Amino acid sequence: MPLSDRRVASTDPLTVEESDAPRAAAPARKKAKADEKPKPVVKTADKLAKLGLKSDIDLALHLPMRYEDETSLTPVGELIPGDIAQTEGVVFDNEIAYRPRRQLLVKIHDAAGDELTLRFLNFYGSQVKQMAIGVRLRVRGDVRGGFFGLEMVHPAVRPVDDDTPLPQALTPVYPSTAGISQAYLRKAIDSALARVSLPELLPEPIARAHLAPLNVPGLLDAVKTLHHPRADSDETALIDGTHPAWTRIKFEELLAQQLSLKRAHEERRRRAAPAMPRRSPNDDQSLVARLLKALPFALTGAQQRVGAEIAAELTLAHPMQRLLQGDVGSGKTIVAALAAAQAIDAGYQAALMAPTEILAEQHARKLRGWLEPLGVTVAWLAGSIKAKEKRAALEAAALGTAQLVIGTHAIIQDAVEFARLGLVIVDEQHRFGVAQRLALRAKALNAADGAHDFQPHQLMMSATPIPRTLAMTYYADLDVSTIDELPPGRTPILTKIVSDGRRDEIIGRVREAALTGRQVYWVCPLIEESETLQLQTAVETYETLVGALPELRVGLVHGRLAPAEKAAVMDAFARNEVQLLVATTVIEVGVDVPNASLMVIEHAERFGLAQLHQLRGRVGRGSTASVCVLMYANPLSQTARARLQTMRETTDGFEIARRDLEIRGPGEFLGARQSGEAMLRFASLENDGWLIEPARAAADAMLSSFPDAVTRHLARWLGAREHYLKA
Ligand code: ADP
Ligand code: MG
């Protein structure tokens, strides 16, 4: 690459903007001094490499994140404070002031005689010289109304002649990193563009069927347009990313993402996993059959359907990678238990991992209740258990005497070894990010080393239903089963929005409900900034309620309780020995006490929609009509109001997820980063969701007919990013 360090060193500091503009006072002064000494050699090629820019193609595909409009000049007299503008004038004053702090003040005036001050709080010695009196400057920056008239602080500055032409096109601004100037990047990219040929990689039939309908330019044409928009291009469309040239690039990228997810999926499918044949429902020895017979309820149609999908896939000798989605309370646990039973029937071990200890404990209690009477050995593994118990659990897992191991992510962290791990179940999988999925797979591979070379089936469960386009991009590497029906006999939850001015009235309702045999959750305010404060609030709330409701047995559960205490409180609540449970969000996931039918959420305006939905899902699980009171404090922001209204209007998790996505956008919506997202640089799910379907169709066609083109396309667009998929 003909990019020498010398060229960086000689980069004119006057043309710098973005990453290399000296901003902070102290380092800049140091820099100004360093200026007089010989410059340190900057390893720019290394920095480029850090940006992932190693080849000409990388550089050509390093597209602008935005543009600056330098195509016109605004006369100084027409500058408006608050705008970003470009203007030109001749320096008539240049001084370094020391009060109130050291700064360079340069004043220019234009032909009309209007004056503008340029203020530099940090500056190089050379800048002072280059903005000498009499020099004509073209400046661009934020216009401010200063004390002494109009000014720009740290504008981009360029000395010009009075006939220096204006650029005919928008100026690209590239994503960069400290130490690489825009000027340098532009030069590097332009010279790469001059060399690169960037051949089309899409096979002709694919392009004809999937690209042509989009009406977009050829790849090289699109890339060139984006780096150097022609003067006549639609600037708005370039800036907001809807220009056909952008569409072309986003399509390529989404295609790469879909190809990559699907190929990762296929590769995993080709690995070996234990086949777990289904026993006949009449087989007396079948654990699955005995479990079904022992259940106090009949499965819903939806549970039967997803159960059959999972059961069928477990019979195959390739690892299942399945996401089981189902709204809060839809009954995912029994589906997981049946899958575990099938694994155990086939002579393998199953592991169930949950994100919190409360939830894991509850699963342990529930699954023990179902499976131990049928002779299954269940082990419990969490970070907090005593060393002796832990040793026993580890041994039982390693020897294979534990047929089912339930726990928190202690299951993946500890030196847990399984004798014959055949199925891994992850509950509330969206709480785990890509990193944990990686760890889980590593665990799975550990389990596979030595005696058997298979990897376990994986069943991920989530109560955060995600809209279809999101599922396609974030989980294109998973198969999805959805429970779309709640067990019968549930009475709908009535949601009320009440100002906290009516607290006493609410406490009265709690008393009434508890005295008629119902159980109540009181959820304490979320205090995101401080866990300590949150804890304190929970304790205070508890004390207030104990004082106000002396006739009730009140319990308190929060994240800082020792696990044994936590379990004791939850047990007491489950056995109806505690009537009012004051809780922090530790009860958010999975807690299941059907007799609880009233929930009060304090400061509901502080919670997110998904969280409110999860919390509310703790009631409405039994046959009594349930009520959820969302108590709020004023002032209520627009979005908080929108969230509360959504909660009042619907209990449908899919609808809530859809609105949540609308309010927040996909990045925040999903929380922990998922594999699909990390790959996207240009396309965004908010704006480009419509392109996913065409990209997916093209990916399918390409995978089945043009495997070589797939490999080339992935190398070009993803490079190193693909490792996110190994989860
Ligand atoms: P989630 O999908 O939120 O994990 P759970 O598995 O905890 O839901 O189930 C919620 C409640 O519904 C539990 O008490 C469970 O025993 C009960 N349940 C599950 N399936 C059925 C069914 N088919 N009929 C009646 N109750 C059911
Ligand atoms: Mg659950």
Side-chain angles (χ1 to χ4, degrees), residues 472-545:
M472 285 195 298
T473 41
Y474 287 81
Y475 300 119
D477 54 338
L478 298 179
D479 297 303
V480 180
S481 292
T482 304
I483 305 185
D484 53 5
E485 173 187 4
L486 292 180
R490 300 272 167 85
T491 41
I493 306 169
L494 179 65
T495 300
K496 294 183 178 177
I497 303 179
V498 175
S499 137
D500 65 359
R502 291 166 61 192
R503 226 180 129 86
D504 289 344
E505 192 185 321
I506 304 290
I507 293 178
R509 293 292 185 84
V510 169
R511 178 187 295 113
E512 251 168 62
L515 293 180
T516 55
R518 296 159 64 183
Q519 286 175 276
V520 184
Y521 292 104
W522 189 289
V523 181
C524 297
L526 179 71
I527 301 171
E528 283 193 334
E529 309 79 50
S530 157
E531 208 194 326
T532 321
L533 208 56
Q534 169 148 347
L535 190 67
Q536 188 189 329
T537 311
V539 172
E540 280 166 15
T541 309
Y542 168 75
E543 282 164 359
T544 316
L545 288 170

Side-chain angles (χ1 to χ4, degrees), residues 255-277:
L255 173 62
Q257 185 211 39
Q258 293 297 315
L259 286 172
S260 172
L261 289 165
K262 280 168 189 283
R263 210 166 61 169
H265 184 246
E266 278 175 13
E267 270 164 20
R268 283 194 300 251
R269 296 294 307 218
R270 277 198 292 275
R271 298 198 188 110
M276 301 168 171

